[in-house]
Amino acid sequence: MYELTIETHFAAAHNLRGYEGACERLHGHNWRVEARVKAERLNAIDIAIDFKVFKAETEKIMERLDHRYLNEVPPFDKINTTAENIARHIYAELSKVLNDGNVKVSLVRVWESEKASAAYYE
């Protein structure tokens, strides 16, 4: 089994609905995103997935989140903008475009600060 990891980031504002404390107020983060894929086999030139493709597909998702008020971006207009939900959303969106029977998204971790992150995997 092979595992590949990339890191990227986006900056966005949000507020937590139903939260009692400072995070219920509008604030922002420089979110760091770690995405991992696994593959059982390499292709004809010994690559599991081209990093260029992995990065490009991840960046398309980042573009939809970057410099936005996340509470207005679907699906976060309906679900809370927690790090857990953001990680699950990125995982699901990446899975749609990268999972191919060999390559499978294995984990997405979202850091809202240097010391706090949430990961989603199946």
Side-chain angles (χ1 to χ4, degrees), residues 3 8 27 39 50 56 58 61 63-64 68 84 89 91 112 116-117:
E3 182 178 69
T8 188
H27 66 285
D50 189 335
T58 305
I61 299 165
E63 288 173 15
R64 296 193 301 259
R68 308 269 189 223
E84 295 89 339
H89 171 71
Y91 181 101
E112 67 174 32
S117 72

Side-chain angles (χ1 to χ4, degrees), residues 44-89:
I45 60 169
D46 296 325
I47 294 174
I49 183 174
D50 189 335
F51 275 115
K52 180 172 61 177
V53 172
F54 189 8
K55 291 175 189 176
E57 293 299 339
T58 305
E59 288 306 318
K60 288 178 187 176
I61 299 165
M62 297 304 101
E63 288 173 15
R64 296 193 301 259
L65 303 174
D66 191 41
H67 284 78
R68 308 269 189 223
Y69 173 45
L70 294 180
N71 295 60
E72 296 177 347
V73 176
F76 304 112
D77 55 340
K78 305 227 182 323
I79 64 172
N80 224 349
T81 55
T82 61
E84 295 89 339
N85 279 339
I86 294 168
R88 184 179 64 195
H89 171 71

Side-chain angles (χ1 to χ4, degrees), residues 11-51:
H14 76 134
N15 63 286
L16 296 180
R17 298 176 194 99
Y19 185 85
E20 293 183 18
C23 293
E24 70 183 326
R25 295 190 300 270
L26 180 64
H27 66 285
H29 298 283
N30 291 316
W31 306 85
R32 189 173 101 208
V33 176
E34 173 187 329
R36 297 181 189 179
V37 297
K38 289 187 177 182
E40 290 188 25
R41 299 175 309 281
L42 302 179
N43 67 14
I45 60 169
D46 296 325
I47 294 174
I49 183 174
D50 189 335
F51 275 115

